[in-house]
Amino acid sequence: MRYAITAWIAGGALPFLFSTLPFNALLWAISAFTVTALLLLIPIAALRKVAVILMCVFSGLAWSLHFVQERLQYDFPAALEGLDLQIEGRVDGLPRGDHQGATFAFVITSYTRLPRGVSVDVETLPRRVYLTWSSAWRESERIPLIQPGQQWRLRVKFKRPHGVINPHGFDFEQWLFHQGYGAYGSIRSGEKLEQVAPWSFAQWIESHRWHLRDKIKRLLHDNRPYAGVLVALVMGDQNAIDQADWRVFNATGIGHLISISGRIYLS
């Protein structure tokens, strides 16, 4: 079993060795797995063991390739970068921020308005994006209350996923890729829509998590020390923890406990 698990992990790590994703790589991995499985029909014990190890390698490789292709199938075109787009969709997951600014995941159901003179296939545009809504620095104003499951019509300027590469710094581009965001952007204006689509079970859970987090913050107030830590311990939301607190936790060796506490509680 240990050899099988090690082989699966090794196969899953193979795409890191590719400078570019080979053409039909997933199909080749599945084909290699199928051919290797046929070796199990040969009545030789040593050969069967080798076949099982190879099957684990190819299954791990196929899983990683499927993950990568799923992430790369929606590529935000450079021609639309920095232009005003109008989109409709819903808030996905717990937003972060307050009345002065918020960041949240957004699932796009439709691109309702594109710039004139730009020809793109709407079906290939990203469906899950990371948005920032902040008040103008010249005219400070309160932004609307953002809750999970809300449906909005937004005017957004998008950017392709990229980040600053600094030693020991946060890799924003890698984080966007891992979370499945095809682009990130800033909201210029928005209009809340009526809730027409039925809620899924995941949205129902996120809504209750939002209300629980809001109640904890109202009882403790944001200016209380470690209010964000308590939220993270109770429900696994680490966004409210200050970077200074994270440095203390990592220096004292308890950072991993903060990271998994809420997830263990929820499970």
Side-chain angles (χ1 to χ4, degrees):
M1 179 61 70
R2 288 180 296 177
Y3 293 111
I5 295 175
T6 303
W8 191 87
I9 295 175
L14 283 178
F16 288 103
L17 303 178
F18 302 153
S19 57
T20 58
L21 200 63
F23 180 72
N24 286 336
L26 179 59
L27 179 61
W28 281 106
I30 295 175
S31 300
F33 175 86
T34 304
V35 172
T36 307
L38 296 177
L39 297 178
L40 295 177
L41 301 176
I42 302 176
I44 301 177
L47 187 59
R48 287 185 174 183
K49 291 181 179 180
V50 173
V52 170
I53 297 299
L54 291 177
M55 288 173 60
C56 293
V57 172
F58 290 128
S59 62
L61 176 61
W63 183 88
S64 290
L65 291 175
H66 171 72
F67 177 84
V68 171
Q69 290 183 355
E70 187 182 50
R71 289 290 190 267
L72 295 179
Q73 64 177 334
Y74 299 112
D75 185 28
F76 191 80
L80 294 179
E81 193 171 22
L83 302 180
D84 277 346
L85 306 182
Q86 184 170 289
I87 59 176
E88 292 183 5
R90 60 176 173 81
V91 179
D92 186 39
L94 287 174
R96 175 184 181 182
D98 51 22
H99 63 276
Q100 295 181 337
T103 57
F104 53 92
F106 194 76
V107 176
I108 301 174
T109 55
S110 63
Y111 288 82
T112 56
R113 185 182 302 169
L114 297 177
R116 294 181 179 180
V118 180
S119 179
V120 295
D121 184 5
V122 178
E123 298 299 325
T124 62
L125 294 179
R127 294 297 167 179
R128 191 166 190 266
V129 295
Y130 189 68
L131 299 180
T132 300
W133 196 341
S134 57
S135 59
W137 65 274
R138 291 182 178 178
E139 300 177 3
S140 180
E141 57 182 12
R142 297 174 65 93
I143 67 169
L145 182 64
I146 307 297
Q147 298 184 29
Q150 288 180 338
Q151 297 191 7
W152 287 86
R153 179 183 295 119
L154 303 172
R155 187 168 62 91
V156 185
K157 284 189 176 182
F158 282 113
K159 291 183 179 181
R160 293 165 59 88
H162 65 271
V164 179
I165 303 177
N166 290 326
H168 312 293
F170 178 68
D171 193 336
F172 184 60
E173 183 176 354
Q174 184 185 50
W175 180 82
L176 290 173
F177 180 82
H178 182 266
Q179 298 297 321
Y181 298 123
Y184 69 99
S186 57
I187 299 174
R188 302 306 183 187
S189 61
E191 175 188 356
K192 187 179 178 182
L193 304 177
E194 294 294 331
Q195 191 76 29
V196 292
W199 276 38
S200 65
F201 179 72
Q203 294 177 28
W204 181 80
I205 291 294
E206 291 300 322
S207 177
H208 279 70
R209 292 183 70 211
W210 184 89
H211 286 289
L212 176 59
R213 185 184 68 176
D214 183 64
K215 185 175 182 178
I216 294 175
K217 287 185 174 181
R218 282 189 286 104
L219 292 175
L220 294 178
H221 305 292
D222 290 336
N223 57 353
R224 291 288 185 89
Y226 296 109
V229 177
L230 182 59
V231 172
L233 292 174
V234 171
M235 50 187 300
D237 179 30
Q238 306 168 22
N239 291 327
I241 301 180
D242 294 333
Q243 291 299 319
D245 294 334
W246 275 119
R247 286 192 290 269
V248 173
F249 298 149
N250 293 330
T252 54
I254 63 172
H256 65 288
L257 298 178
I258 304 297
S259 300
I260 66 176
S261 295
R263 291 171 173 80
I264 294 176
Y265 173 83
L266 291 174
S267 62

